[in-house]
Amino acid sequence: MNKLLKEIYNMDKAAMKKAAENVMVGGGTRGGPILARGKGVRVWDIDDNEYIDCTSQSWALYLGYANDEINDIVRDHIENLTHIHQGFDSKPRFYLSQRLAQLAPEGMNRVSFTVGGGPAVEAAMKICAKNVPHARDFVCLYDSYHGTSLGSMGASWISTKANGEYMGGTSFLSLTRPFIRVPNPYTYRNPYNVDAETYIDMCLTMTREVFQRGIAGRPVGVLIEPIQASGGQIILPKRYLQEMRKLCNEFETLMVFDEIQTFGRIGEMFAADYFGVTPDIIVIGKALGGGFPLAGIIISDQLEGFTPNAEELHTFANPTASFVASARLLELLEEWVLENCRNMGAYLNSKLHELAKDYPEMGDIRQAGLHIGVEFVADPKTKETLEKETVDIRNAGMKNGIIFGLGGVRRNVLKIKPPLIVSQQECDEILEKLEKSMKSVLRR
Ligand SMILES: Cc1ncc(COP(=O)(O)O)c(C=O)c1O
């Protein structure tokens, strides 16, 4: 092994503690183990404790840890190139752009890359600004999350008091864009206690009012996560998205789908295929690079795109190693992984509903492919949130060898989003560890 790599791998706890003084971390659910190596859906910490990872590391490892297929293609490729500047063309960029255009909804054929989701959302905002004249304000939904870059942060719920406290996003309000927010059709709970269909109608009516009289000019664009992931795994109803499409057309503004978390994970490449609604701009990221950093946008043929006039210039927008990893990921998704995602998602969903018969605290189970959230409540009727208990279940999971995600603006949603290659046997293990963790917290 390389001498330097050996030195890094051999750092002991005292050396790490000292070095940690130099580390500044801006977010993430803290307090987890220090991870050392992984394979498939499993990861091991520095003390060799094993975990099944239901976070896929911020939902980015669709093919699991240290995937052989990705490692092989990247190993071959990096003998030639790893990164080249955006101004130079490369075969991997030609190939991946064409492949994504072929897979994207009809009429969406131009692709632009960044290395992070926040900058990709900003790229989508720039395209909106180029194409929608006499407009200033962007619209987003309550409880949305679109990143923490300065351009995207104002659109994220962390810039509100949604969860009862002013979070990090509000520290930078003087630097971030103001977004106009409209109610999200979170049909499981709504402030008016009306039924789901009525609430969808109310959200649409309130949004129409905002478009018409609550905003100067027309919206530059409307940012929507088809499934609000960070906000609590809230699956937006199909009818709502269809009606929003019509509203965007009527008000001559652009509809942007932030598919950074849904791309592939819902068992379809794109939300347009899943919901039957085609936006004007699609934003993708996280898993797109097959585990390597990559994000980007795909835009409608009807739109004016970027020109090479310094409109979108990033040093790392042409990472050829990420491009080849991404190309292999797309191939595998098509070959078998999307189907596995649909099957394992359906399997977990039915087993979770069985489990909910014994655990009424599992108030709502929301599943699309392997995009799964369980909302914990004290009582299914009152829907009072179980915030501390949800955190405790996640922590009990760590002790039981499983890493769950935690989310929702009310912090009471457990996220179960394993790599898309998860097997049925591994799903059984996830369910068994979940039950053990719930039992230790809810039946103590
Ligand atoms: C829907 C959505 N949009 C944007 C982002 C921001 O992406 P990144 O963290 O790569 O900047 C995230 C990240 O969690 C996300 O879930």
Side-chain angles (χ1 to χ4, degrees):
M1 191 193 285
N2 174 287
K3 199 166 140 275
L4 175 59
L5 198 55
K6 211 176 196 173
E7 185 185 330
I8 295 171
Y9 284 4
N10 283 345
M11 283 177 92
D12 61 17
K13 284 190 178 161
M16 282 190 284
K17 194 169 174 213
K18 180 93 190 75
E21 289 167 18
N22 303 114
V23 177
M24 181 164 60
V25 181
T29 311
R30 307 284 295 145
I34 300 174
L35 303 179
R37 66 193 163 88
K39 194 74 192 162
V41 301
R42 290 170 208 277
V43 63
W44 288 265
D45 67 16
I46 52 169
D47 298 318
D48 224 25
N49 296 309
E50 179 183 310
Y51 308 85
I52 291 195
D53 189 353
C54 288
T55 69
S56 307
Q57 292 304 307
S58 198
W59 342 113
L61 299 177
Y62 280 7
L63 303 177
Y65 288 86
N67 182 274
D68 291 333
E69 316 260 11
I70 295 293
N71 286 355
D72 285 348
I73 195 166
V74 171
R75 203 178 288 117
D76 279 355
H77 174 70
I78 59 175
E79 296 295 333
N80 300 318
L81 285 173
T82 49
H83 138 84
I84 55 177
H85 182 253
Q86 187 175 0
F88 291 85
D89 280 325
S90 72
K91 288 179 182 174
R93 186 167 68 183
F94 285 137
Y95 181 91
L96 184 64
S97 303
Q98 185 179 51
R99 200 71 204 95
L100 285 168
Q102 285 163 351
L103 293 167
E106 216 183 311
M108 302 190 79
N109 287 300
R110 276 165 303 158
V111 182
S112 175
F113 295 105
T114 64
V115 287
V121 169
E122 293 177 355
M125 291 166 65
K126 287 181 191 170
I127 295 289
C128 291
K130 282 197 79 167
N131 285 277
V132 183
H134 312 300
R136 182 186 57 211
D137 296 313
F138 284 92
V139 169
C140 66
L141 268 55
Y142 290 4
D143 301 344
S144 61
Y145 184 86
H146 297 289
T148 65
S149 58
L150 283 178
S152 64
M153 191 176 230
S156 298
W157 64 265
I158 51 165
S159 304
T160 69
K161 203 185 178 184
N163 82 334
E165 60 171 321
Y166 290 114
M167 290 190 60
T170 54
S171 317
F172 308 110
L173 286 181
S174 59
L175 302 171
T176 59
R177 269 199 80 91
F179 283 78
I180 311 290
R181 288 182 161 73
V182 292
N184 55 339
Y186 181 15
T187 51
Y188 176 64
R189 55 172 84 240
N190 66 71
Y192 308 101
N193 282 323
V194 291
D195 65 78
E197 291 306 313
T198 307
Y199 192 54
I200 293 170
D201 286 335
M202 289 171 77
C203 287
L204 288 164
T205 305
M206 289 187 270
T207 300
R208 164 178 285 283
E209 286 292 298
V210 168
F211 280 15
Q212 198 153 0
R213 38 165 67 91
I215 182 171
R218 51 179 153 162
V220 198
V222 183
L223 303 186
I224 300 177
E225 292 167 87
I227 299 183
Q228 297 188 296
S230 164
Q233 298 293 125
I234 302 163
I235 303 176
L236 302 191
K238 187 173 170 168
R239 179 167 77 83
Y240 170 82
L241 291 174
Q242 286 168 339
E243 293 298 324
M244 282 297 278
R245 173 71 274 182
K246 288 187 204 153
L247 268 185
C248 289
N249 292 348
E250 183 186 331
F251 285 84
E252 297 169 70
T253 186
L254 297 179
M255 182 183 222
V256 179
F257 271 2
D258 180 344
E259 296 214 36
I260 285 176
Q261 290 220 25
T262 48
F263 169 73
R265 181 167 281 284
I266 53 179
E268 301 281 354
M269 270 318 166
F270 295 101
D273 306 320
Y274 188 91
F275 292 100
V277 177
T278 303
D280 301 292
I281 304 175
I282 293 174
V283 188
I284 40 183
K286 293 220 187 255
L288 174 66
F292 286 80
L294 190 63
I297 57 171
I298 309 175
I299 72 166
S300 157
D301 299 347
Q302 307 302 316
L303 299 177
E304 193 187 334
F306 290 128
T307 64
N309 186 24
E311 288 184 342
E312 176 69 355
L313 174 59
H314 301 289
T315 302
F316 289 113
N318 200 356
T320 66
S322 302
F323 290 158
V324 297
S326 180
R328 188 72 185 110
L329 167 75
L330 295 179
E331 213 169 53
L332 291 164
L333 284 173
E334 284 203 297
E335 279 170 18
W336 69 277
V337 176
L338 282 182
E339 193 185 349
N340 189 66
C341 171
R342 287 193 288 271
N343 292 340
M344 293 306 106
Y347 180 73
L348 279 173
N349 188 42
S350 74
K351 293 283 176 186
L352 286 169
H353 278 93
E354 271 176 37
L355 207 51
K357 288 180 193 150
D358 293 331
Y359 290 91
E361 294 93 338
M362 297 167 78
D364 200 25
I365 296 161
R366 300 190 276 268
Q367 175 263 342
L370 284 167
H371 210 305
I372 304 176
V374 179
E375 174 154 359
F376 284 93
V377 294
D379 173 330
K381 284 210 177 69
T382 63
K383 297 184 185 172
E384 189 195 326
T385 56
L386 283 183
E387 292 162 45
K388 183 184 173 305
E389 289 80 355
T390 311
V391 175
D392 288 348
I393 292 169
R394 178 184 191 263
N395 294 342
M398 294 280 190
K399 292 200 184 95
N400 295 327
I402 190 159
I403 308 176
F404 292 114
L406 192 61
V409 295
R410 291 164 192 80
R411 308 300 181 107
N412 68 329
V413 177
L414 202 71
K415 300 186 187 180
I416 308 174
K417 299 161 84 171
L420 311 189
I421 53 163
V422 68
S423 68
Q424 186 162 321
Q425 202 179 348
E426 287 159 345
C427 286
D428 287 334
E429 222 178 300
I430 291 171
L431 291 157
E432 185 221 312
K433 287 178 189 297
L434 172 65
E435 175 162 27
K436 189 170 171 195
S437 307
M438 288 196 305
K439 198 175 201 169
S440 68
V441 173
L442 302 172
R443 302 287 176 268
R444 59 185 152 206

